[in-house]
Amino acid sequence: MRKALLTTGLVGVLAAGTAVPGAAISDSGSAPLPGTGARVVANAWHCNVYADKCSFKTSTKTTKGGAKYKVSKITNVATVKANGWQATLSLSPSGTQVSENTRQVSWTNNNTWIADISGIADPGGSMNTSITTCSDGGAFKAGVKAFASACAND
């Protein structure tokens, strides 16, 4: 009975056009946080297949030896772009309009190890529209800073 419920739930998720684990387009990038032994890691994901809308998520994390590493300030900027002829983009959360087909959303946290953003992209325009999701992040601790970027492309 439980297996049937999980399968039905997965079909519902696919029909809604949201990301399914293992079926997402993703990318990551990292950079050392000087003098700390920690790394700043940027991640970007969005759904692989969608009919109308597409979920996206970006994050900036700091880790040291695979464990969470707390910093003074950590920032993440998500840039989502609809690609294609006469492409347009609506985003939830709405963010800042960079152009007709590009939006940005940013988030900053203090005294923690992560800043993340998630939402729904609604591309419009030509039928051959694809999405690019980029994550640009930075971390600051004890007078040093580092930045990392990642871009997931269809």
Side-chain angles (χ1 to χ4, degrees), residues 11 24 31 48 53 64 67 73 89 99 103 109 126 129 137 154:
V11 171
N48 185 20
K53 295 176 175 71
K64 183 175 181 177
K73 182 177 178 180
L89 180 69
S99 66
R103 301 284 187 276
N109 281 331
S126 71
T129 302
D154 282 355

Side-chain angles (χ1 to χ4, degrees), residues 34-50:
T36 66
R39 296 194 71 75
V40 177
V41 180
N43 296 295
W45 305 265
H46 64 254
C47 64
N48 185 20
V49 178
Y50 58 94

Side-chain angles (χ1 to χ4, degrees), residues 11-85:
V11 171
V13 169
L14 286 171
T18 57
V20 177
I25 305 292
S26 65
D27 189 35
S28 65
S30 67
L33 186 58
T36 66
R39 296 194 71 75
V40 177
V41 180
N43 296 295
W45 305 265
H46 64 254
C47 64
N48 185 20
V49 178
Y50 58 94
D52 183 26
K53 295 176 175 71
C54 180
S55 60
F56 72 90
K57 182 173 183 178
T58 64
S59 70
T60 302
K61 301 175 182 179
T62 49
T63 59
K64 183 175 181 177
K68 300 172 185 177
Y69 183 78
K70 191 167 136 179
V71 293
S72 304
K73 182 177 178 180
I74 189 162
T75 301
N76 181 249
V77 177
T79 303
V80 182
K81 179 179 179 184
N83 308 300
W85 186 69

